[in-house]
Amino acid sequence: MIVVTSGSKYIDIDAYASCIAYANLLNLKGKEAKAVSSAKTNESIPSSLLKLNIGLDNYKPSKEDEFIIIDVSNKAFFDKFVNEDKIIEVIDHHVGYEEYWRNKLQDKAKIEFLGSVATVIVELYEKEGFLYEITKELAILLISAILDNTLNLKAKVTSERDITAYEKLESIIQDRKYPEKYFLECQLQINKDLKLAIENDTKTEYVNSILPPIFSQLTIWDKEEVLRDKDIIYTVLNNIGNKWMLNLICLKDGKSYVIAQDLEVQKNLEKLFNKKFNADIMELDSVLLRKEIMKIAQEEKNMIKENN
């Protein structure tokens, strides 16, 4: 059996949709595959998507299984049942571990800095001649993934490939109002339980000395409701540790708002963005995804190292 899976802490819509879709593609090609995850779903997967007649498989991986990893390439974050020696393919759009996996898997390491890993999956369907086998329900999952990971195609990380994949999926679902419906439903999920939403989308990972090790992100339509509950944000993240930041993406404003309390964290972020904090909030000029901020910080760190 080929087990298609992702990270262990939580699974977002990009990983969720891509695992399901890639397992489906492998089955179409005559290979037995299942999409499996032990991780919690986060607020990018609202209840309407969980209720679709397509989802993760109820399957317990065994020692004989082979693994395909989607939307993560840092092995420290793989799902707990993954055996690295049995990994046959890695598909990701986060940079940092390309060389490691290409040395191990050659052309079976597909790691490219794109808006959404779902874009790669759509391209693979087309390459294998199965594009028209994508059902409406599967297209809804994949288009939701591209919407979420490119912020409605407005994030700087959005590529022409993401846009092309989106257009192919849009022709299947035939609903031009879907983006607004999707993001409003995600916001309702967040508003129901802000504490859980923050916990479900917080990554604890040392990137470099510029960024704090605790990095949370929320994508919402309107920031005001979330900011009214700012005390909940502080309590949840301070319970994890004092070195944290929250990237609050407001699609209505078309901007990211960075929230941080620790003075050292604020100082580092002010240098990185050449902006000032006002009452623990820094307003950026545009929307930026967590992966984009991590890339900017890494480039800044590399520049500092070269100049020294």
Side-chain angles (χ1 to χ4, degrees):
M1 178 72 68
I2 298 173
V3 172
V4 185
T5 190
S6 189
S8 60
K9 181 172 171 54
Y10 66 86
I11 187 166
D12 67 4
I13 183 58
D14 202 22
Y16 180 84
S18 298
C19 286
I20 292 166
Y22 198 47
N24 182 67
L25 176 60
L26 292 172
N27 283 305
L28 288 171
K29 292 171 64 179
K31 298 179 181 180
E32 192 177 9
K34 292 193 179 292
V36 183
S37 176
S38 67
K40 297 179 292 184
T41 58
N42 76 355
E43 284 62 36
S44 66
I45 313 173
S47 57
S48 67
L49 299 189
L50 292 171
K51 291 174 183 175
L52 291 174
N53 191 31
I54 185 167
L56 296 170
D57 293 297
N58 185 17
Y59 175 77
K60 187 176 180 180
S62 71
K63 291 180 181 178
E64 291 72 36
D65 292 330
E66 295 178 310
F67 298 92
I68 294 176
I69 311 299
I70 304 276
D71 199 36
V72 59
S73 47
N74 181 347
K75 58 184 180 178
F77 296 99
F78 291 170
D79 210 324
K80 58 190 177 184
F81 51 70
V82 171
N83 178 349
E84 186 184 344
D85 294 334
K86 294 287 193 94
I87 293 173
I88 59 172
E89 190 170 14
V90 174
I91 305 173
D92 192 18
H93 65 136
H94 303 92
V95 296
Y97 295 87
E98 305 96 309
E99 186 176 353
Y100 178 83
W101 290 109
R102 282 172 191 153
N103 286 339
K104 284 181 73 88
L105 302 174
Q106 288 76 50
D107 63 343
K108 289 296 182 180
K110 301 177 181 72
I111 303 175
E112 305 171 86
F113 192 66
L114 292 171
S116 172
V117 78
T119 294
V120 180
I121 305 302
V122 174
E123 291 173 344
L124 289 171
Y125 266 82
E126 186 167 32
K127 180 181 177 183
E128 299 289 345
F130 289 103
L131 185 64
Y132 298 104
E133 298 292 330
I134 297 178
T135 64
K136 184 174 181 179
E137 289 184 327
L138 189 54
I140 287 171
L141 287 181
L142 290 166
I143 204 168
S144 300
I146 295 174
L147 283 169
D148 180 70
N149 269 235
T150 65
L151 304 177
N152 200 14
L153 305 177
K154 291 181 173 63
K156 291 180 181 177
V157 72
T158 308
S159 68
E160 286 299 320
R161 289 167 62 186
D162 294 304
I163 294 168
T164 299
Y166 180 90
E167 289 171 347
K168 292 180 190 302
L169 296 168
E170 188 179 51
S171 70
I172 297 171
I173 71 167
Q174 294 288 309
D175 184 358
R176 290 190 173 274
K177 292 185 178 179
Y178 182 73
E180 184 178 353
K181 294 177 189 174
Y182 170 71
F183 286 117
L184 285 174
E185 190 179 1
C186 289
Q187 171 123 23
L188 284 173
Q189 293 275 111
I190 290 168
N191 291 342
K192 272 187 207 173
D193 193 338
L194 181 58
K195 177 179 180 291
L196 183 64
I198 295 167
E199 290 172 344
N200 284 352
D201 210 345
T202 298
K203 288 189 175 182
T204 304
E205 176 184 7
Y206 179 80
V207 178
N208 57 46
S209 58
I210 296 174
L211 296 179
I214 301 163
F215 196 153
S216 190
Q217 177 170 283
L218 291 177
T219 301
I220 42 93
W221 185 257
D222 187 345
K223 69 181 184 301
E224 297 306 323
E225 285 191 56
V226 172
L227 290 179
R228 276 198 291 270
D229 292 324
K230 205 163 60 168
D231 288 347
I232 295 175
I233 296 171
Y234 291 171
T235 300
V236 173
L237 292 174
N238 281 324
N239 282 340
I240 301 172
N242 65 320
K243 303 290 186 184
W244 58 263
M245 64 180 285
L246 168 67
N247 179 32
L248 186 64
I249 299 167
C250 178
L251 295 174
K252 182 180 177 182
D253 296 352
K255 292 180 180 180
S256 278
Y257 295 85
V258 176
I259 304 174
Q261 269 192 311
D262 183 82
L263 293 179
E264 183 184 356
V265 171
Q266 288 186 358
K267 183 180 176 183
N268 287 339
L269 293 173
E270 284 179 343
K271 284 183 181 177
L272 182 65
F273 293 112
N274 194 27
K275 296 278 186 183
K276 291 291 183 183
F277 274 88
N278 180 17
D280 299 338
I281 299 176
M282 176 194 292
E283 180 180 329
L284 301 184
D285 295 328
S286 62
V287 292
L288 278 178
L289 287 157
R290 173 165 44 206
K291 58 178 171 275
E292 292 178 306
I293 293 174
M294 291 170 71
K295 187 169 184 282
I296 290 167
Q298 194 56 51
E299 288 169 350
E300 178 70 14
K301 193 69 179 176
N302 292 339
M303 197 184 326
I304 292 169
K305 187 186 288 186
E306 286 173 9
N307 290 338
N308 289 338

